[in-house]
């Protein structure tokens, strides 16, 4: 944006399957959004990859690419993952993609996976109000 901030939102879904994609609400004029949103993505299978795409919402023009990250099936073998992912270029947005920077903190739980010993399903699925792990 012209004021040096963005109106970011994040989408998540199984790579190559747009019907699985979900989207957060956008946050106005910030470079440090906190979404605290939870989604259920159905149909994740062995060998799949979860993709995260962060975009800048624009009302009058096409939304701008801010960064991309992924979690592979190997990273989700335990059935859960929590941490930070670095936003990178997805190779689809030209010079804009090459300027990607930042990180997103996420928490993923696969149905049927085993949670860490000190967690319950309800606490794990509840959006975290804390900072990064």
């Amino acid at each position: 944006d012209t004021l040096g901030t963005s109106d970011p939102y994040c989408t998540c879904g199984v790579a190559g399957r747009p019907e699985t994609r979900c989207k957060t609400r956008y946050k106005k004029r910030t470079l440090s959004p906190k979404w605290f949103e939870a989604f259920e993505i159905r149909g994740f299978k062995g060998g799949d990859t979860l993709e995260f795409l962060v975009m800048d919402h624009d009302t009058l023009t096409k939304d701008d690419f801010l960064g991309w990250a992924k979690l592979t099936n190997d990273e989700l073998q335990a059935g859960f993952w929590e941490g930070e992912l670095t936003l990178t270029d997805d190779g689809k947005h030209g010079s804009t993609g090459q300027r990607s920077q930042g990180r997103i903190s996420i928490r993923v739980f696969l149905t049927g996976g085993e949670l860490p010993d000190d967690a319950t399903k309800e606490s794990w699925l509840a959006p975290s109000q804390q900072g990064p792990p």
Side-chain angles (χ1 to χ4, degrees):
D1 290 351
T2 56
L3 300 174
T5 61
S6 295
D7 301 319
Y9 65 89
C10 182
T11 68
C12 175
V14 177
R17 301 209 345 250
E19 73 278 6
T20 66
R21 195 149 293 280
C22 57
K23 177 181 166 184
T24 67
R25 292 182 294 274
Y26 72 91
K27 299 294 182 173
K28 291 184 179 180
R29 295 183 294 278
T30 182
L31 296 177
S32 301
K34 295 184 185 326
W35 290 291
F36 302 121
E37 295 183 40
F39 299 97
E40 182 176 349
I41 298 172
R42 297 181 181 266
F44 185 88
K45 301 176 189 134
D48 282 343
T49 296
L50 281 181
E51 290 185 321
F52 301 87
L53 184 67
V54 180
M55 301 291 288
D56 176 18
H57 170 79
D58 290 319
T59 303
L60 300 177
T61 61
K62 184 178 176 187
D63 292 354
D64 300 313
F65 175 80
L66 296 176
W68 172 85
K70 69 178 180 175
L71 273 177
T72 66
N73 184 61
D74 289 343
E75 293 168 300
L76 292 166
Q77 283 297 313
F80 65 91
W81 193 91
E82 181 174 25
E84 286 189 349
L85 296 173
T86 300
L87 297 175
T88 62
D89 182 4
D90 66 355
K92 300 176 185 175
H93 293 88
S95 62
T96 300
Q98 295 170 3
R99 293 191 304 268
S100 298
Q101 61 181 352
R103 296 180 311 275
I104 55 173
S105 296
I106 61 163
R107 174 186 287 191
V108 176
F109 168 70
L110 298 179
T111 303
E114 293 192 27
L115 291 170
D117 291 339
D118 61 344
T120 65
K121 182 177 180 182
E122 291 75 25
S123 69
W124 189 258
L125 293 176
S128 173
Q129 298 295 317
Q130 301 172 1

